[in-house]
Amino acid sequence: PANDAQMVLLNSDGSRAEISGNGIRCMAQALLAHAIRATPGSAPADSLAIETDGGLRCVELDAGDPSATMSLTVEMGEPRSGPPVSAAASAFGASHVATVDIGNPHLVLCVTDPDAVELSVEGPRLEADYPAGINVHFVSVDQAGEIDLRVWERGAGITLACGSGAVAAAAAAHGWGLVERSVKVRMPGGVARVGIADGSVRLTGPSTFVATVTVP
């Protein structure tokens, strides 16, 4: 009764993931679009409570059209320390290293140039030290306090963007004293904004309708 929907997320390798900051926004848009189709002329809900394997998350509708592009904000909960930093991660040569749990585990390494890191090699090598797997992120922070992020995702490999990773990276960088509480995170797949408050982090970004697929 406390939630409007439940999200079960499967990675491309078939494994089950706890949470996806990008995926939950896409799912919320799909649910809003479905509700409008089911009841023509109705106004979309202001928010949706969605149960995930990482806990209950609230998704707020900021603006936009469910049949086109929307801006949505997810209350991602409170970042916690993740598993211990592995010896390989400590020896990588990053200026800062941290693990963050935002409902799923992340390893964040601050480097000079994320594009110079060979993701297909270093991502799986660093993840291998964590028996349950971990998302691996290479980040840099510019003078404006904005973050560049490159992602190796547990169960999926190299991806163009990671919403929960953007949250983990921003939270880690804030903990290191490198960014303020409002952070712009740039990824090859697009830009997300992270707002850090005491006890919670909010992720804001776009979701764009692509197609409706019918499976016979």
Side-chain angles (χ1 to χ4, degrees), residues 7-17 155-156:
M7 181 173 77
V8 174
L9 176 65
L10 300 179
N11 291 316
S12 56
D13 69 353
S15 61
R16 185 160 165 165

Side-chain angles (χ1 to χ4, degrees), residues 10-29:
L10 300 179
N11 291 316
S12 56
D13 69 353
S15 61
R16 185 160 165 165
E18 299 93 342
I19 182 68
S20 168
N22 290 339
I24 197 170
R25 294 200 323 276
C26 292
M27 179 177 172
Q29 180 179 8

Side-chain angles (χ1 to χ4, degrees), residues 114-215:
D115 286 328
V117 177
E118 194 170 354
L119 272 178
S120 61
V121 174
E122 300 300 342
R125 184 180 73 85
L126 293 172
E127 186 189 3
D129 286 334
Y130 295 86
I134 200 167
N135 299 298
V136 182
H137 307 290
F138 299 94
V139 305
S140 63
V141 181
D142 66 18
Q143 293 182 344
E146 299 178 353
I147 291 177
D148 285 296
L149 172 64
R150 301 297 178 266
V151 179
W152 172 270
E153 284 201 63
R154 175 186 61 168
I158 297 173
T159 59
L160 298 180
C162 178
S164 62
V167 169
H174 180 69
W176 297 326
L178 301 179
V179 299
E180 300 298 330
R181 290 182 178 269
S182 179
V183 188
K184 181 179 180 180
V185 182
R186 297 184 296 256
M187 298 166 280
V191 174
R193 295 187 178 275
V194 178
I196 302 169
D198 293 336
S200 68
V201 179
R202 291 164 63 84
L203 170 70
T204 300
S207 174
T208 300
F209 172 79
V210 176
T212 296
V213 180
T214 300
V215 180

